[in-house]
Amino acid sequence: MKVKYATIAVANMEESIKFYTEVMGFEIDNQITPYPGMKIIFLKDEGDAMIELVENADEPDKKGIFLVGMEVEDMDTTVKQLISNGAKFTRGPMEVGDGAKLAFLTDPNGVEIELIQH
C-alpha cells in the first residue's frame, strides 16, 4: 500500500487554500464540486501524496483529518489479507468507473481509510 492523500474537512476553504499554498508551499492540482455545497481541492507538493481539502455545507462543524487514501495494486488480494488480519470494511469493494475500485475501513480512532486501485 502507498499513501496517496490525507483528507481534511475544513470550515473555510479560502482560508485553508491560502494557508496550504502561501504558508506551506503546496500547489492546487485539481478542484471539483461533486454537488452543490461541497467543494474539494487537491493540493500537491514535491512528493506523490496529496492533501485533499473538503468543505461541506451540510456538515459545517466537521473539521480535521477524517480520511487517509491508500493506493493498492490488487484490491481483492489486499481486502482478503486485511480481513484475515482483523479489519472490518464499512463499504466496498466497489467499482467506480474506468476500472478503479474503492473500499473503506475505519481505524480504532474513527479515521476512515480509503483503499483505491486504479
Side-chain angles (χ1 to χ4, degrees), residues 50-70:
M50 291 192 196
I51 292 177
E52 176 185 30
L53 303 177
V54 177
E55 182 182 66
N56 188 348
D58 294 337
E59 297 178 332
D61 296 329
K62 192 171 189 176
K63 294 179 282 193
I65 291 182
F66 72 94
L67 188 142
V68 175
M70 298 186 180

Side-chain angles (χ1 to χ4, degrees), residues 8 10 18 35-36 47 61-62 75-76 82 92 95 113 118:
I8 303 171
V10 301
K18 185 175 179 179
Y35 56 84
D61 296 329
K62 192 171 189 176
M75 182 66 72
D76 297 330
L82 292 172
E95 291 193 23
I113 298 169
H118 292 284

Side-chain angles (χ1 to χ4, degrees), residues 41-98:
I41 306 290
F42 291 93
L43 301 162
K44 65 179 181 174
D45 66 356
E46 296 173 11
D48 291 335
M50 291 192 196
I51 292 177
E52 176 185 30
L53 303 177
V54 177
E55 182 182 66
N56 188 348
D58 294 337
E59 297 178 332
D61 296 329
K62 192 171 189 176
K63 294 179 282 193
I65 291 182
F66 72 94
L67 188 142
V68 175
M70 298 186 180
E71 185 175 53
V72 299
E73 294 278 327
D74 183 325
M75 182 66 72
D76 297 330
T77 300
T78 301
V79 167
K80 286 177 187 172
Q81 179 63 48
L82 292 172
I83 289 172
S84 73
N85 291 346
K88 292 179 175 58
F89 283 79
T90 57
R91 291 178 282 156
M94 64 187 103
E95 291 193 23
V96 292
D98 294 337

